[in-house]
Amino acid sequence: MDLLDILTDKGLRRELPTREEALAVLATTDDQLLDVVAAAGRVRRQWFGRRVKLNYLVNLKSGLCPEDCSYCSQRLGSKAEILKYTWLKPDQAAQAAAAGVAGGAKRVCLVASGRGPTDRDIDRVADTIAAIKGADEGVEVCACLGLLSDNQAERLKAAGADAYNHNLNTSEATYGDITTTHTYADRVDTVAKAHGAGLSACSGLIAGMGESDADLVDVVFALRELDPDSVPVNFLIPFEGTPLAEEWNLTPQRCLRILAMVRFVCPDIEVRIAGGREVHLRSMQPLGLHIANSIFLGDYLTSEGQAGQADLDMIKDAGFEVEGAEQTTLPRHRVHAAATGCGGHQEEGACGTGGGCGPCGGHGESAPAVGAAGAVGAVGAVGVVEAVGAVAAPGAEDEARTDLVRVRRRGAGTELAPNA
């Protein structure tokens, strides 16, 4: 059995690969790339069928963060010319969220810059959740507010939040190289607080910050240990005015290998292609949807993408379908585990699913194979944009597409309508 056969077999059985196998995925050649995508795609279809979950970001408070995360355009000392504004009012946030829901988004992610929320901030977010769910009670709401203090996760849960996002970002060994104002352990603690309060945990990584293959494998294995329901995979957007402005070291091929490695390690977890897909995957984004089962629709926190309608068209053209509000994202065994606390990685049938845990929404049927690679496009805004210049890393084989990095100039916090 070769490497990809072994990884596929393990993924179909929800068995953790070895670190050596995960590293070997990142070391595959470009000649092997389509085989890697096909193998990861088979695992993706086993647990998620042809569905693509759409998520929509609302930046509740932009810029002016006291933390020094090197990758972030909102960091302390950032010279990036991004939008800066204080807390949106609940009706403003709800209006922005409605645009995403109208475009097909199933989950709204409420994000605020800063180290972590005060108790008053939790009240603000609670009012915002009420406004969003008052307009559409079926929409999922995920909060991303930084480090949580005791009882804050419980208050968000009581307010109607469904999930909480807090990314590990990189390996524990190298975390101090990108941030000094808080620790890796602080982040792990916040994910644990979200879990403990009954919120669906969302935690992921950022690739492209100069990390090694071993760092990538370490953070993904750490995420698997935390057992989140969703793992966003971000690709660094090197904003001018940040310490990592010249870290242009990703290729589309490497991005696909990273996504495949994450899928093999987290076979039955929602894998989301998050920030940076337009910049780094570029024309190879369609292949990413054969591995990941979730993307963001609309703009990111401080950067714009491309027209959201193009994504919807290309998802359809590629033979995928947008996940509906009536469908459950996670496979049955994970849904049952979340409800009963039986754990997310038990043997087949151990959660009383009657053997076989097919894709939810598919009634246990085998997922149809996806045909030849289609197009799954970038999301974002049309209208006023501003290019952020950057320089390709010296010696880079391919010139970086710096023209694709655009500062967000529309949507929540502006006078221009949000994109969806």
Side-chain angles (χ1 to χ4, degrees):
M1 224 183 223
D2 68 12
L3 171 69
L4 295 179
D5 288 337
I6 292 171
L7 288 168
T8 301
D9 183 62
K10 286 186 174 183
L12 297 179
R13 292 185 287 112
R14 294 185 287 133
E15 181 180 334
L16 186 68
T18 66
R19 289 177 182 272
E20 291 73 21
E21 289 165 346
L23 284 166
V25 174
L26 298 179
T28 53
T29 66
D30 288 351
D31 286 343
Q32 298 170 299
L33 185 63
L34 290 180
D35 293 331
V36 172
V37 172
R42 186 177 172 195
V43 176
R44 178 247 202 267
R45 292 192 301 275
Q46 166 72 15
W47 303 114
F48 300 98
R50 294 180 294 112
R51 293 175 286 110
V52 177
K53 182 176 183 177
L54 299 181
N55 309 268
Y56 191 74
L57 282 167
V58 178
N59 199 0
L60 297 179
K61 182 166 73 78
S62 184
L64 307 174
C65 183
E67 303 298 289
D68 68 354
C69 306
S70 300
Y71 52 82
C72 184
S73 59
Q74 304 182 79
R75 73 187 296 272
L76 178 69
S78 172
K79 304 298 183 184
E81 297 180 358
I82 62 168
L83 293 168
K84 298 179 179 68
Y85 52 84
T86 191
W87 288 93
L88 297 179
K89 292 181 173 58
D91 61 333
Q92 293 173 307
Q95 181 181 12
V101 174
K106 182 175 180 176
R107 171 173 287 189
V108 172
C109 304
L110 302 177
V111 188
S113 63
R115 179 178 178 84
T118 65
D119 287 341
R120 183 182 178 190
D121 294 336
I122 296 293
D123 290 338
R124 287 189 179 103
V125 175
D127 290 342
T128 299
I129 293 171
I132 291 171
K133 294 213 169 188
D136 185 345
E137 63 180 11
V139 68
E140 297 177 9
V141 175
C142 178
C144 178
L145 312 173
L147 301 172
L148 292 175
S149 301
D150 289 344
N151 299 318
Q152 289 185 329
E154 286 79 6
R155 289 179 61 194
L156 289 169
K157 175 70 173 178
D162 301 285
Y164 196 83
N165 165 261
H166 199 62
N167 296 329
L168 296 187
N169 290 328
T170 194
S171 69
E172 182 175 13
T174 59
Y175 195 82
D177 295 336
I178 63 166
T179 305
T180 66
T181 49
H182 60 267
T183 67
Y184 179 91
D186 291 333
R187 288 187 171 266
V188 172
D189 178 68
T190 286
V191 177
K193 281 183 168 70
H195 254 317
L199 292 167
S200 175
C202 174
S203 188
L205 64 141
I206 304 173
M209 297 189 291
E211 70 283 336
S212 67
D213 284 3
D215 290 323
L216 287 170
V217 170
D218 283 349
V219 68
V220 176
F221 271 72
L223 288 166
R224 166 82 185 231
E225 184 69 22
L226 287 176
D227 196 28
D229 290 326
S230 176
V231 174
V233 180
N234 296 276
F235 301 109
L236 176 71
I237 301 176
F239 272 96
E240 187 173 282
T242 65
L244 300 183
E246 296 188 7
E247 286 289 340
W248 289 94
N249 51 42
L250 292 172
T251 64
Q253 293 84 358
R254 179 160 175 78
C255 291
L256 289 170
R257 284 190 280 268
I258 292 168
L259 286 170
M261 186 269 288
V262 175
R263 173 55 74 200
F264 289 129
V265 177
C266 304
D268 58 344
I269 293 173
E270 175 191 343
V271 175
R272 184 184 312 160
I273 313 178
R277 68 182 172 97
E278 299 87 346
V279 179
H280 295 295
L281 279 169
R282 303 194 290 277
S283 62
M284 294 180 73
Q285 290 176 70
L287 291 179
L289 261 291
H290 286 270
I291 304 171
N293 62 294
S294 180
I295 61 172
F296 280 107
L297 181 73
D299 299 330
Y300 301 104
L301 296 178
T302 62
S303 63
E304 291 184 347
Q306 296 171 311
Q309 183 58 50
D311 280 335
L312 302 179
D313 294 340
M314 288 189 247
I315 287 170
K316 180 179 179 180
D317 290 347
F320 294 100
E321 60 186 26
V322 173
E323 183 174 290
E326 75 287 352
Q327 294 175 300
T328 303
T329 300
L330 296 173
R332 292 189 185 95
H333 61 273
R334 288 194 65 87
V335 174
H336 186 84
T340 62
C342 71
H345 300 295
Q346 301 195 17
E347 295 300 318
E348 288 288 343
C351 292
T353 55
C357 297
C360 290
H363 308 295
E365 298 175 1
S366 298
V370 177
V376 179
V379 296
V382 289
V384 181
V385 296
E386 177 177 304
V388 176
V391 180
E397 294 182 4
D398 300 306
E399 185 178 354
R401 288 294 304 278
T402 60
D403 58 301
L404 295 177
V405 182
R406 297 184 175 97
V407 173
R408 185 172 70 81
R409 290 286 181 257
R410 62 181 295 140
T414 77
E415 295 181 355
L416 297 173
N419 172 71

